[in-house]
Amino acid sequence: MTSLPAGSSATRPVPPTATYRLQLQPEFPFAAAGRAVPHLAGLGISHLHLSPVLEAVPGSTHGYDVTDHRSVRAELGGEEGLRALAATARAHGLGLVVDLVPNHMAASPTHNHALRAVLGEGPDSPYARWFDIDWRAGDGRLLLPVLPARLPEVRDRLRVSDGALHLDGQEFPLRPGTEGLPLDELLDAQWYRLGWWRLARTELNYRRFFTISELIGVRVEDPEVFEATHAKIVELVRDGVVEGLRIDHPDGLADPQGYLDDLAAATGGRCWTVVEKILTGPETLPAAWPVAGTTGYDALHRVDGVFTDPDGTEELTGVYRDFTAKAGDRGGHWEATGRRAAYEVVGHDLAAETAALTRLAERICAADPALRDHAPWALRTAIRELLVRVPVYRSYRTGGEEVLTPEAARGAKAAFAVPEEAAAVDVVRDLALGLRGDGPEHRSFRARFAQTSSALRAKSVEDTAFYRYVPLLSANEVGGDAGRPAVSVEEFHAYCGRISRDWPDTGTVLTTHDTKRSADVRAGIAVLSQCPRVWAELLAEVAGVPAPDPHVAWTAWQTAFGFGAPDPERLGPAILKSVREAGLRTSWTEPDAGYERAVAEFAAAGPGRIPLRAASEAAFALEPHIRAHALGALLTQLTMPGVPELYQNTERAYRALVDPDNRAPFAVGPDDDHTALVRAALKLRRERPEVFAAAGSYTPLTAEGPAAAHCLAFARSAEVVTAVTRLPLRLGEAGGWQDTELVLPEGRWADVLDGVREFTGGAATELKLAELFAERPVALLARIDG
């Protein structure tokens, strides 16, 4: 086993100026990425950001199902291919950032070497410490929910050969000495129990990723496990192959800060590191974490929000409620919908996780004379009621009292009819906050409560409520606030000022491999916040296409409007996924075949066939406003504080829907106005890195005049100015820019988007916005007088 080098996390690595995310897969391996390097270098990026590169399940199109941390994925070209890509990138002035998956591995007995050892050797295996397995819950056996039906129905298909049990291409190792037993005895003699896949929801006794039983959690908090799972990545960092790391789902870890401290020490401070931490509302990244910042969903929310009309959104919500007639907690009102979804997920999808927490609480109470006589049902109820009241993804080492508040405890106690039994809430809250001791099971409960909390938040908000409450689909992205999607200019400036001061090297994104809709699709939808009546009229025009219900009609037509053109092969699967995730009429695990057939037929006959954005003069007239939003959001993200990331193909207009649609292999396409803007902005970032990287380098600029609210402008280190048009439809309705003016900082300024125009700054010189935005709805200016 390779030893990890010691190092200091105090070293501040040189951050990228901009990154470009590539989705690697067998159809787009390292060699293909290498061929794309000249094009990508020409955009002005400094680093390629690669999806996970370690060995994964064969054929995986994403790489998050890691099977072996010891080697680089052979299907992508292996370590030789990765090192060759790094050399090609370096020859073009680029470095590599790699997506690292510390929380989970594929739960594949066939491909996961560590899990295979545990299945054959049981709890005495040296690999048993890798996974959170509750052996007592399974009577000493690990449940493998891998059978397509109940065991008696597939028993005759089981075969024993070569020291393994085989079923439909799956292979399970046998416990030594059991090979010659009759089949039924052999099955009972294993360290695992083969079970119907539907048993996972209630019977699972290992920690998984969210509700995905095919991904088993990894205990990187164990030093030996950390070393074994990170040796190869650390070697690649040490050799200069990898210069940055994106940490996938840190909230799934037992101790995120402890893990990040270990990672910083292991890499010797060589890496620019960002974490996929989803911040909720005003929540901020823990200051003690030794990272550069987040992957950028908090920036996405602010950028999208500042281009969303708050008044129009409120009116649009009224239209939505009238059209869908949804009950308040089933899509009619955001807070009620979110709370109901949380109860459903914690009681159904996460039943195995709440059961595991209940068992831990029972054991702790039984061992402590001061905590005895709390009934299991009371502990289970307290756990459930507190989990649904966690307002963020999870709590950490410090600040837990601000997450699990006394108010939350009082709300949880309302579920009890007898006040004395409600005392279980205080016990569970204390355990979750680490106030009842620091023994192994106390620490385990504290970690598992936080891990379950993050899974609950993700599944109930991102994957359920965001598909039920849909007045404005552009707001329903990770880190977003569907109940309050608009962000004021003042809020945006305050956010950027704080990021510039506290996390100047954090990541920013507009589109990722996980966004439900690409930035350009969201721009098409968000413009509807400026014209709710136009949207209502469009819906009336297509009312003749029968839909299974108003909710799916609203969702599907709005998705199609944002997408921009009929495409049944892409729209159909996205619409079907939306109704399954919503779980109102059908779901992934309890599908309603008749309803899904009706959805598919509607999608093909309506949104997949009718060009909605050209359906009327009013709809077609929105195209320039959609373009203004798309360009404004892009330029804002590329020049605001932080390190901007471009997702593959977004250097040009890119319309993509939820995965797997947005994970198609990279392909070079024709340049457009997006491309010109990207090249201009990233060229500035590469030529003047100190302008953008300096802490506190962000200065809001405020326009003056009747249309001032429609201009978002800021300066970076008094060297670069970004100015963009916001809410252009409302601007036009109000009479345009008229005499609205913007005062530039002192100096001479050149418009880098056209390379011709020059302007003079200073308090005595006011620039007419009608002149600045005469050719395009955005402007990027660079100071040229030294």
Side-chain angles (χ1 to χ4, degrees), residues 667-698:
V668 176
D671 289 358
D672 60 13
D673 50 4
H674 284 58
T675 316
L677 190 153
V678 166
R679 286 201 172 105
L682 297 190
K683 182 173 184 287
L684 272 181
R685 293 195 76 112
R686 291 206 72 165
E687 291 177 347
R688 310 186 188 191
E690 71 287 347
V691 167
F692 294 92
S697 63
Y698 180 88

Side-chain angles (χ1 to χ4, degrees), residues 220-422:
V220 291
E221 65 271 23
D222 183 299
E224 290 187 16
V225 178
F226 177 90
E227 181 175 354
T229 54
H230 287 70
K232 176 54 64 178
I233 283 292
V234 169
E235 175 190 334
L236 294 170
V237 171
R238 182 186 61 217
D239 291 352
V241 175
V242 173
E243 298 178 4
L245 294 171
R246 172 203 182 267
I247 309 304
D248 181 71
H249 187 47
D251 279 349
L253 304 176
D255 179 9
Q257 182 176 329
Y259 167 78
L260 294 169
D261 287 339
D262 292 342
L263 183 66
T267 58
R270 295 180 177 90
C271 274
W272 172 77
T273 302
V274 289
V275 287
E276 189 201 21
K277 168 59 193 167
I278 313 304
L279 299 169
T280 303
E283 183 187 16
T284 57
L285 195 65
W289 285 13
V291 298
T294 74
T295 56
Y297 285 111
D298 45 324
L300 183 156
H301 168 54
R302 270 71 178 197
V303 174
D304 274 6
V306 81
F307 290 94
T308 301
D309 181 6
D311 296 331
T313 299
E314 186 174 345
E315 183 181 347
L316 185 69
T317 301
V319 176
Y320 160 77
R321 288 175 179 147
D322 291 342
F323 183 88
T324 62
K326 301 297 293 182
D329 63 352
R330 294 174 67 83
H333 295 273
W334 172 241
E335 294 296 336
T337 297
R339 179 58 61 87
R340 178 182 179 124
Y343 272 112
E344 290 178 7
V345 171
V346 79
H348 187 272
D349 305 76
L350 295 176
E353 284 69 22
T354 54
L357 283 168
T358 302
R359 290 192 298 270
L360 271 170
E362 287 181 58
R363 293 199 291 265
I364 293 170
C365 289
D368 186 342
L371 299 179
R372 287 176 187 164
D373 285 354
H374 287 288
W377 74 262
L379 294 170
R380 183 172 58 251
T381 300
I383 289 166
R384 179 193 69 206
E385 295 294 330
L386 284 173
L387 281 171
V388 301
R389 286 171 171 78
V390 176
V392 294
Y393 277 72
R394 63 167 284 170
S395 58
Y396 302 103
R397 287 185 186 177
T398 59
E401 294 86 352
E402 299 173 10
V403 173
L404 281 175
T405 63
E407 181 182 4
R410 285 192 294 272
K413 289 179 179 180
F416 292 82
V418 178
E420 291 81 2
E421 291 177 327

Side-chain angles (χ1 to χ4, degrees), residues 701-726:
L701 300 179
T702 303
E704 298 290 339
H710 293 280
C711 177
L712 174 68
F714 53 85
R716 302 301 310 276
S717 301
E719 293 287 333
V720 172
V721 167
T722 291
V724 301
T725 305
R726 59 184 296 269

Side-chain angles (χ1 to χ4, degrees), residues 331-560:
H333 295 273
W334 172 241
E335 294 296 336
T337 297
R339 179 58 61 87
R340 178 182 179 124
Y343 272 112
E344 290 178 7
V345 171
V346 79
H348 187 272
D349 305 76
L350 295 176
E353 284 69 22
T354 54
L357 283 168
T358 302
R359 290 192 298 270
L360 271 170
E362 287 181 58
R363 293 199 291 265
I364 293 170
C365 289
D368 186 342
L371 299 179
R372 287 176 187 164
D373 285 354
H374 287 288
W377 74 262
L379 294 170
R380 183 172 58 251
T381 300
I383 289 166
R384 179 193 69 206
E385 295 294 330
L386 284 173
L387 281 171
V388 301
R389 286 171 171 78
V390 176
V392 294
Y393 277 72
R394 63 167 284 170
S395 58
Y396 302 103
R397 287 185 186 177
T398 59
E401 294 86 352
E402 299 173 10
V403 173
L404 281 175
T405 63
E407 181 182 4
R410 285 192 294 272
K413 289 179 179 180
F416 292 82
V418 178
E420 291 81 2
E421 291 177 327
V425 171
D426 296 321
V427 173
V428 170
R429 179 174 181 264
D430 286 351
L431 290 175
L433 294 176
L435 303 178
R436 288 282 184 171
D438 196 39
E441 293 202 318
H442 294 78
R443 292 195 297 273
S444 181
F445 185 93
R446 186 166 68 247
R448 290 296 290 270
F449 187 93
Q451 290 167 317
T452 304
S453 168
S454 70
L456 172 60
R457 181 82 185 183
K459 296 305 297 181
S460 65
V461 176
E462 297 172 27
D463 294 342
T464 304
F466 274 176
Y467 288 97
R468 292 183 177 181
Y469 181 83
V470 294
L472 188 68
L473 284 171
S474 58
N476 295 13
E477 285 296 348
V478 178
D481 185 348
R484 186 180 175 271
V487 172
S488 71
V489 171
E490 293 74 21
E491 289 174 300
F492 179 83
H493 286 320
Y495 167 80
C496 288
R498 178 175 62 79
I499 291 300
S500 177
R501 181 187 69 244
D502 299 338
W503 301 99
D505 301 330
T506 191
T508 70
V509 294
L510 283 185
T511 300
T512 76
H513 63 290
D514 278 334
T515 44
K516 294 175 172 58
R517 299 155 196 93
S518 67
D520 290 326
V521 172
R522 298 199 308 276
I525 295 171
V527 77
L528 299 176
S529 70
Q530 300 175 61
C531 55
R533 290 295 108 194
V534 171
W535 176 241
E537 292 165 5
L538 282 174
L539 287 177
E541 289 183 21
V542 295
V545 182
D549 58 67
H551 181 268
V552 74
W554 180 284
T555 299
W557 285 118
Q558 202 173 96
T559 299

Side-chain angles (χ1 to χ4, degrees), residues 121-187:
E121 303 165 16
D124 291 332
S125 167
Y127 287 101
R129 66 196 305 165
W130 279 44
F131 310 110
D132 282 315
I133 300 172
D134 188 347
W135 295 98
R136 285 178 284 188
D139 293 327
R141 297 200 292 168
L142 173 66
L143 174 67
L144 288 182
V146 295
L147 302 182
R150 294 174 57 247
L151 180 60
E153 298 173 34
V154 299
R155 181 187 179 282
D156 292 342
R157 305 205 317 253
L158 291 167
R159 298 288 181 269
V160 178
S161 65
D162 301 324
L165 192 63
H166 301 264
L167 174 69
D168 301 340
Q170 298 183 87
E171 182 179 297
F172 311 94
L174 295 180
R175 184 174 179 176
T178 65
E179 294 89 341
L181 294 174
L183 182 59
D184 291 334
E185 292 182 30
L186 180 144
L187 290 172

